[in-house]
Amino acid sequence: MSDTSEQAAEALRRGDLILLPTETVYGLGADAANPEAVAAIFEAKGRPRFNPLIAHVADAATAETEGVFNAQAKALAEAFWPGPLTLVAPIRDTTRVCDLARAGLDSVALRVPAHAGARAVLAAFGGPVVAPSANRSGRPSPTTFADAVEETGFAVAAAVDGGACAVGLESTVVSVLGGRVSLLRPGAVTRADLERVVGPLDDSGEGHRSPGRLTLHYAPEAPVRIEAEAARDGEVLLGFGPGVGEPRWSLSVSGDLREAAANLFRLLREADRTRPVGIAVSPIPAEGLGEAINDRLRRAAGHVG
């Protein structure tokens, strides 16, 4: 049963948690200014508290009341907001995104989502909402309402059903600190997309300012083996491209990276439910959106990314 945006906003005002749909993945949302509510997210997810959270806001103007935006940040916001891009900027007002949500850092991660359901909740609530993916920490992010409810529905007072997530991978995270632009987490806004707006990126450091950077992350119960040419006995093969594996388990039969991204977490979950010995994943090209897909797969397999 789905709640309305106003019901979700009222739950946030009470200090409760909600399930929030976005175009990337479903989020477990709380009032960003309420440390007790934010602590409840960490408890529900079993999430390490050194990992910062993304604050979702209704528009770029609101984002600029939370973070200090230089010319590069403004250019990226204009190009990609609303959408699957998070900007890490110097904090402006520490009372609106609490210290716990920022993992004690002097920066804040901000995003303006494109999903109509998320935007309705943000408009009704009127303030920043932190909303990490609605999975238990380390597991694949939920991209359907049913999977979000299965993962952390026990912890929420309201849940908004926004359908299947169109993107299927968490947002691209970019730092605009210290006069340089750094890609902290790849996503649907690709490196090439970013460089068309701000020129070459400087990826030297600052990774601790981004969520989703644990070595083992997005992992199902079964071990994940990447760059697999075929399945071993007892494994499920998640194929990619024409003629690779069973169509039921293909990330994209046609070899389309956007389709593969949208299907990745759902198929990891579905394969895991069959209780396989392991989950093998076909090689994924590294260019474009493939950089983000491979990042998630390396972490699902427990490889340092």
Side-chain angles (χ1 to χ4, degrees), residues 64 68-79 81 85 87-89 176 181 198:
E64 289 195 55
V68 179
F69 279 30
N70 59 19
Q72 293 165 316
K74 291 179 180 179
L76 289 168
E78 183 176 352
W81 278 355
L85 175 70
L87 295 176
V88 177
V176 290
V181 181
V198 294

Side-chain angles (χ1 to χ4, degrees), residues 2-304:
S2 177
D3 293 298
T4 67
S5 57
E6 186 51 55
Q7 287 172 319
E10 183 54 37
L12 292 169
R13 295 185 194 103
R14 292 195 306 265
D16 292 329
L17 304 185
I18 67 168
L19 289 178
L20 180 74
T22 80
E23 72 275 23
T24 56
V25 300
Y26 273 81
L28 183 62
D31 177 0
N34 184 333
E36 291 183 0
V38 174
I41 286 180
F42 288 106
E43 183 178 4
K45 285 177 62 68
R47 183 188 181 101
R49 295 196 180 191
F50 59 77
N51 209 353
L53 306 180
I54 295 169
H56 298 70
V57 295
D59 50 46
T62 303
E64 289 195 55
T65 68
E66 308 298 331
V68 179
F69 279 30
N70 59 19
Q72 293 165 316
K74 291 179 180 179
L76 289 168
E78 183 176 352
F80 301 113
W81 278 355
L85 175 70
T86 294
L87 295 176
V88 177
I91 188 71
R92 186 186 295 278
D93 180 354
T94 58
T95 65
R96 297 259 293 181
V97 181
C98 69
D99 185 76
L100 179 58
R102 294 182 287 105
L105 298 170
D106 59 358
S107 56
V108 61
L110 297 160
R111 182 161 94 88
V112 179
H115 192 286
R119 294 174 67 79
V121 172
L122 291 169
F125 178 61
V129 174
V130 288
S133 55
N135 52 288
R136 286 165 284 149
S137 188
R139 286 179 48 77
S141 301
T143 57
T144 69
F145 183 65
D147 283 343
V149 170
E150 180 183 9
E151 281 285 322
T152 52
F154 65 89
V156 306
V160 178
D161 186 351
C165 300
V167 174
L169 294 180
E170 301 83 359
S171 62
T172 303
V173 180
V174 171
S175 166
V176 290
L177 302 168
R180 65 175 185 261
V181 181
S182 303
L183 178 60
L184 305 186
R185 182 176 73 183
V189 178
T190 67
R191 182 181 297 270
D193 294 334
L194 298 166
E195 290 184 337
R196 277 193 287 271
V197 176
V198 294
L201 305 181
D202 177 354
D203 293 344
S204 54
E206 303 290 356
H208 65 292
R209 297 182 184 272
S210 176
R213 309 311 293 158
L214 300 179
T215 300
L216 183 64
H217 207 82
Y218 315 114
E221 296 295 328
V224 174
R225 185 169 62 88
I226 59 177
E227 302 288 334
E229 296 297 335
R232 297 171 181 167
D233 286 348
E235 287 184 332
V236 170
L237 176 67
L238 300 189
F240 179 80
V244 180
E246 298 179 27
R248 172 190 174 188
W249 298 115
S250 179
L251 295 170
S252 174
V253 172
S254 65
D256 182 276
L257 289 172
R258 289 197 175 275
E259 183 181 17
N263 286 333
L264 177 62
F265 290 139
R266 178 181 61 80
L267 285 180
L268 281 173
R269 286 175 172 279
E270 289 185 7
D272 204 36
R273 291 186 182 112
T274 71
R275 299 291 188 265
V277 169
I279 300 173
V281 186
S282 294
I284 304 293
E287 70 271 4
L289 188 52
E291 181 180 10
I293 297 171
N294 281 300
D295 170 80
R296 304 313 192 273
L297 286 171
R298 284 194 298 272
R299 295 178 189 282
H303 297 184
V304 175

